[in-house]
Amino acid sequence: MNKTELPASQPGLAVPTIESRDLRKSFGAVEVLKGVSFKAYEHQVISIIGASGSGKSTFLRCLNFLEAPSSGEIDFKGRSLEIGGGRAPTRIEIEGLRRRTGMVFQQFNLWSHWTVLENIIKVPIHVHGVPRQQAVQRAMDLLAKVGLREKVNAYPASLSGGQQQRVAIARALAVEPELLLFDEPTSALDPELVGEVLAVIRALAKEGRTMLVVTHEMSFAREVSDKVVFFHDGRIEEEGPPAEVLRQPRSPRLGAFLKSVR
Amino acid sequence: MNPLHLLAFGPTGWGDELAYGAAMTLVIAALGFAGGLVLGLPIAAARLSSNVVLRAISGVYVTVVRGVPELLVIYLLFFGGGQFYRYVADALGYSGAVAADAFSAGVLAVILICAAYSAEVFRGAFQAIPKGQIEAANAFGMTRSTLFCRIKLPQMLRYALPSIANVWQLVLKDTALVSVTGLVELMRTIDVAAGSTRSPFLFYMTAILIFLAFTAVSNKAFEGAERHFSRSVIGGYGK
Amino acid sequence: MNMKRRMLLVSAAMLVAGASTVLAADQRVVKLATDGTYAPFNYTDPSGKLVGFEPDLVDDICKRMNVKCEWVIQNFDGMIPALNEKRFDAILASLSITDERAKAVDFSIPYYAGPTRLIASGDGKLGQFKSGEGSTILLGSMSDKDKAVIGDVAAALKDATVGVERASTHAKFFEETFPGVKVKIYDKGENMMLDLVAGRIDAAVDGAGSTLNFISEQEKAGKKFVAFGPALKGGALGKGVALAFRKGEETELREEFNKAIREATADGSISKMSVKWIGVDGSIPENAAK
């Protein structure tokens, strides 16, 4: 498959890696996103928090079109993908965007018929056209990084949840993404396994990767993020540096939410 | 006299005729099974399609073929098909013999039957693939064809395999129905031998043993394939 | 894939009219279908050759008709549909004439009717019964002498219980011919014969061919059974077996076969062939009279 080329980003920090404008999403008659405008710049780590049903996961999934937005615009590196009203993005455009992002899911979603190594190398080889040798080399490096080198030939079913999620992170990194999307990466884990996964995500944040993390882990949000975004009822209720947003919430709803998770 | 001399090979016994009939049965079953699986896949896809017309046509096909006796499908193709050619030939003013060849009609009937059953197996197996794994493939920008070939097909086959083994058994037994066309497969040979020697017990027992042998061998093969395809869920380490 | 091998072997049994005469280049070919599984009428030897009473019969009558007859092997179940789509010209496969089948096909005159016999233990009273022995009585056209013999049989059966098979024409025939005799009805012939051996019934009604088989089998086991009284045919026992043609077609061909069957009956050929293969004379004398 040909890798679809998007135009190169314009020079300067002014162009966000990803931006949404007035993004809306309805499931039938229920509007889940009620106009979300959002920007994430290169090297930013942004935590997205909010109660369940606030629309935070749906928002993340709309950014790479796993959910089709009902209307609004998404810019990826300055390239606009309009939805509704304007021209709908084609499957090829969507695939192009997805190939430049990596995603980590709550339920890991490793491909169960492939070994750990195969899970990591198949997308680079079959989607990005990376030579196998090179893909394997990179996969081994990534497995070392997430501390699972010895599981290279294991099947996902034989791994613990924490191990599976670390493999899923290696899988996402293998495509050298310009943006990493984490959809509640620790919510499905037993409490004692949360630490190992957060440690890996923390290390990635320190590398200066651009990351959007939907999470319930407030300590993680406070220590790691450059920005925290609080979703309430399908809108961004409040956003800002973690020190401000988490310590002195202006919105009474955020205050109540923070009390409830403490 | 030892009745087993009837099973001897050569001009005095039925051994070589039975071997030929058994081989013919295997050929019909193998062609019918392979063709049926190949045809079953697009039918399953049509069953799962978002297109209403495709869904309706494939639904009717699967329901009808599985719902009517298999013998009827064979009759329809062999005699009904022939009658259709007959009308055409008569219309063209040709009064000679036009007939569906027994072998082709038999294989085609088995293909059509196998396709209906395997389509349903495939459909269920496709639906059994965890949605998250398909979503993950989409999230990494796989094209539809890569998604199908690399993710859906191998996963689906793993789920389908145990039921596909059942379809193979069905196909193997359905070849016996093809004998109504006069095609000399195992069951027809057994009928001829049983009737001609007036030793039905000996020959029907022989037929049972041959069919059981086929079943035993194919069961082993399918067990091996199942082990191979499910190694990932048993959770083995390495190769 | 040499899937036609068996077909070719069977074709080796292809029957050529007048093997000793030179074939005319334009001699008509008549295709006849049989099943090849019904010994001794039509069956297959291990080399694939079609043999039996009917192949011999076809040799004979096709020679009389001066046509070249070829066999088409067809499973009995698909016989009539295959006839209708002209895979062959006629069926010659021990097909009994029934009213139901006569709606679908045109029958020739019957070429064979298996006689029906009464059978009993050779040691009992019925085993000693001598009246009508060796004769064949046509139930549809009995002479006074025939009627007297039937009367003798009825008298001998007065206190007996007689077994008959439910599905056959025997039940109807027996009630019409021997009213008042106590009958026991069986679903399966084998069970009836087991009861006869065990003495639970005194006599049984069965086809002449299987009667002969039964007697010879019992003889091997040291038990004596005999067929007694006259052989019986016609009437409620049915019309016999015939060739079947497509309904409303082939009228001329059918007449040619009828003529050849009459001739082969009249000169005793069918009688000889049926004694050779089946062990009883199944020819139908009325045919010769016409």
Side-chain angles (χ1 to χ4, degrees):
Chain A
M1 270 302 126
N2 290 331
K3 187 173 162 179
T4 311
E5 291 300 332
L6 296 176
S9 62
Q10 287 154 26
L13 281 174
V15 178
T17 298
I18 196 154
E19 176 177 359
S20 72
R21 281 190 296 279
D22 196 28
L23 200 65
R24 287 170 191 274
K25 170 68 180 174
S26 300
F27 291 108
V30 184
E31 195 171 37
V32 184
L33 296 180
K34 299 172 177 172
V36 179
S37 296
F38 169 91
K39 283 177 187 171
Y41 291 92
E42 207 174 343
H43 306 308
Q44 268 192 328
V45 176
I46 299 177
S47 292
I48 300 172
I49 60 172
S52 53
S54 62
K56 59 186 192 304
S57 267
T58 305
F59 172 67
L60 193 78
R61 293 160 57 79
C62 278
L63 290 180
N64 66 353
F65 294 88
L66 284 185
E67 302 289 355
S70 307
S71 69
E73 258 177 88
I74 292 171
D75 284 7
F76 186 76
K77 295 255 175 172
R79 163 85 186 238
S80 172
L81 297 144
E82 284 176 55
I83 308 108
R87 183 182 61 86
T90 62
R91 167 108 191 167
I92 290 181
E93 282 176 310
I94 293 171
E95 280 170 9
L97 180 150
R98 287 171 174 172
R99 284 171 199 181
R100 298 170 69 176
T101 62
M103 190 163 189
V104 175
F105 299 86
Q106 183 176 354
Q107 298 293 344
F108 332 130
N109 295 350
L110 292 177
W111 295 302
S112 57
H113 60 306
W114 282 335
T115 62
V116 164
L117 180 70
E118 287 167 334
N119 263 278
I120 299 171
I121 63 173
K122 291 285 184 178
V123 172
I125 292 173
H126 297 300
V127 179
H128 295 265
V130 174
R132 187 184 163 87
Q133 195 80 35
Q134 197 182 320
V136 170
Q137 186 53 53
R138 179 156 172 78
M140 297 311 284
D141 293 347
L142 289 169
L143 280 175
K145 189 173 190 166
V146 299
L148 287 172
R149 241 193 121 125
E150 78 283 5
K151 298 291 188 190
V152 59
N153 287 324
Y155 282 96
S158 68
L159 303 180
S160 73
Q163 290 172 328
Q164 288 193 51
Q165 194 61 300
R166 285 188 277 154
V167 172
I169 293 170
R171 173 175 72 173
L173 293 172
V175 300
E176 306 192 29
E178 292 160 65
L179 173 67
L180 274 168
L181 304 173
F182 291 84
D183 186 7
E184 307 200 26
T186 57
S187 300
L189 295 175
D190 293 336
E192 71 272 20
L193 301 177
V194 170
E196 63 186 64
V197 172
L198 281 183
V200 171
I201 301 174
R202 273 198 180 91
L204 295 178
K206 287 206 183 94
E207 288 176 10
R209 290 177 183 274
T210 315
M211 296 166 40
L212 304 186
V213 187
V214 173
T215 184
H216 290 129
E217 298 288 331
M218 289 308 133
S219 59
F220 171 84
R222 187 162 47 243
E223 290 156 28
V224 180
S225 348
D226 303 305
K227 185 162 98 169
V228 172
V229 175
F230 172 64
F231 265 73
H232 180 80
D233 194 25
R235 291 189 180 85
I236 294 179
E237 175 92 3
E238 190 168 339
E239 59 184 313
E244 291 172 20
V245 172
L246 299 178
R247 296 252 165 74
Q248 293 125 22
R250 281 164 294 164
S251 151
R253 296 199 192 94
L254 175 54
F257 171 73
L258 290 174
K259 274 200 190 92
S260 74
V261 296
R262 206 153 275 154
Chain B
M1 193 163 37
N2 183 355
L4 290 178
H5 77 279
L6 289 172
L7 298 176
F9 281 74
T12 58
W14 290 85
D16 42 348
E17 279 72 21
L18 290 176
Y20 172 79
M24 178 57 92
T25 285
L26 284 182
V27 167
I28 300 167
L31 290 177
F33 185 59
L37 294 187
V38 168
L39 186 61
L41 201 56
I43 295 173
R47 290 276 275 153
L48 294 167
S49 159
S50 51
N51 182 318
V52 183
V53 178
L54 282 180
R55 234 175 24 237
I57 293 172
S58 55
V60 167
Y61 175 80
V62 163
T63 309
V64 168
V65 174
R66 294 189 318 152
V68 303
E70 276 120 41
L71 194 58
L72 214 60
V73 177
I74 292 165
Y75 271 141
L76 187 72
L77 281 173
F78 190 59
F79 300 120
Q83 231 152 42
F84 174 74
Y85 303 141
R86 181 79 258 152
Y87 290 133
V88 175
D90 286 348
L92 295 173
Y94 174 71
S95 62
V98 281
D101 159 58
F103 180 79
S104 319
V107 169
L108 187 61
V110 177
I111 286 177
L112 292 182
I113 293 164
C114 175
Y117 283 93
S118 55
E120 280 306 87
V121 170
F122 289 153
R123 185 173 70 107
F126 273 124
Q127 288 175 325
I129 301 173
K131 295 287 163 285
Q133 297 189 26
I134 292 165
E135 188 165 76
N138 275 322
F140 284 98
M142 277 193 197
T143 58
R144 283 202 183 89
S145 60
T146 308
L147 172 64
F148 183 80
C149 297
R150 305 274 170 193
I151 309 284
K152 284 189 178 175
L153 198 58
Q155 295 249 13
M156 180 280 281
L157 286 178
R158 190 178 79 195
Y159 291 112
L161 209 52
S163 309
I164 285 297
N166 287 340
V167 173
W168 164 251
Q169 301 242 311
L170 184 89
V171 163
L172 204 52
K173 288 191 279 183
D174 279 354
T175 59
L177 300 176
V178 175
S179 67
V180 296
T181 64
L183 185 65
V184 185
E185 41 64 73
L186 181 56
M187 205 55 220
R188 170 69 192 169
T189 312
I190 289 287
D191 272 346
V192 170
S196 297
T197 61
R198 301 227 224 168
S199 306
F201 182 76
L202 172 73
F203 283 101
Y204 291 142
M205 278 310 289
T206 306
I208 286 172
L209 291 178
I210 294 174
F211 272 111
L212 281 180
F214 286 169
T215 305
V217 171
S218 42
N219 276 352
K220 275 275 168 250
F222 274 107
E223 274 170 30
E226 263 176 59
R227 254 199 313 280
H228 177 78
F229 277 101
S230 59
R231 66 199 187 284
S232 58
V233 279
I234 295 168
Y237 280 76
K239 303 176 178 179
Chain C
M1 178 43 54
N2 181 12
M3 57 158 185
K4 297 250 164 73
R5 193 183 71 116
R6 276 297 294 269
M7 292 302 194
L8 290 175
L9 285 174
V10 171
S11 306
M14 184 179 76
L15 303 167
V16 180
S20 59
T21 62
V22 178
L23 294 177
D26 59 349
Q27 193 176 31
R28 270 186 309 149
V29 173
V30 176
K31 287 186 178 171
L32 299 172
T34 194
D35 185 56
T37 65
Y38 194 52
F41 290 86
N42 60 74
Y43 62 106
T44 315
D45 76 10
S47 71
K49 191 175 176 315
L50 195 64
V51 290
F53 165 64
E54 285 167 346
D56 279 9
L57 172 72
V58 165
D59 267 343
D60 181 288
I61 60 179
C62 290
K63 189 167 152 191
R64 291 173 200 268
M65 291 163 65
N66 191 29
V67 294
K68 185 178 163 190
C69 286
E70 287 176 9
W71 285 112
V72 174
I73 303 301
Q74 170 66 52
N75 188 299
F76 196 82
D77 296 331
M79 205 69 100
I80 290 176
L83 173 70
N84 284 331
E85 62 166 78
K86 300 192 181 175
R87 280 169 198 266
F88 38 77
D89 302 303
I91 299 168
L92 198 159
S94 296
L95 199 63
S96 300
I97 299 171
T98 64
D99 292 344
E100 200 184 338
R101 283 181 186 146
K103 287 175 196 157
V105 294
D106 288 339
F107 280 108
S108 70
I109 59 169
Y111 54 83
Y112 174 91
T116 296
R117 300 299 308 260
L118 284 157
I119 184 170
S121 166
D123 306 329
K125 185 179 70 138
L126 290 171
Q128 312 301 321
F129 184 81
K130 293 294 172 211
S131 177
E133 194 169 76
S135 72
T136 299
I137 289 179
L138 299 168
L139 294 173
S141 53
M142 286 192 283
S143 63
D144 289 343
K145 197 182 139 219
D146 291 339
K147 284 176 185 156
V149 171
I150 293 294
D152 288 346
V153 177
L157 292 173
K158 199 170 150 270
D159 296 317
T161 303
V162 182
V164 294
E165 254 184 282
R166 185 189 302 281
S168 67
T169 50
H170 295 160
K172 189 171 166 228
F173 134 78
F174 195 83
E175 245 162 62
E176 281 180 12
T177 315
F178 304 106
V181 175
K182 199 175 164 202
V183 169
K184 187 165 181 198
I185 298 204
Y186 291 85
D187 280 332
K188 285 189 168 181
E190 297 98 86
N191 294 345
M192 176 173 79
M193 289 315 202
L194 285 174
D195 272 8
L196 181 64
V197 173
R200 279 188 279 269
I201 50 176
D202 305 298
V205 179
D206 205 359
S210 45
T211 304
L212 287 176
N213 260 353
F214 175 76
I215 291 172
S216 71
E217 272 170 34
Q218 292 300 319
E219 212 168 71
K220 281 182 211 157
K223 288 179 182 161
K224 189 166 178 260
F225 282 87
V226 292
F228 65 94
L232 301 164
K233 282 188 184 186
L237 285 171
K239 299 188 181 98
V241 297
L243 286 87
F245 300 85
R246 277 185 291 282
K247 192 86 187 161
E249 295 178 37
E250 315 284 5
T251 319
E252 275 176 36
L253 184 65
R254 191 153 53 96
E255 271 316 310
E256 286 179 59
F257 270 104
N258 285 347
K259 182 166 165 277
I261 290 167
R262 282 190 197 107
E263 286 172 16
T265 308
D267 69 11
S269 304
I270 293 181
S271 167
K272 262 183 241 151
M273 283 184 275
S274 76
V275 168
K276 174 189 166 197
W277 285 102
I278 304 153
V280 295
D281 180 2
S283 68
I284 302 166
E286 297 103 306
N287 285 345
K290 282 172 196 163

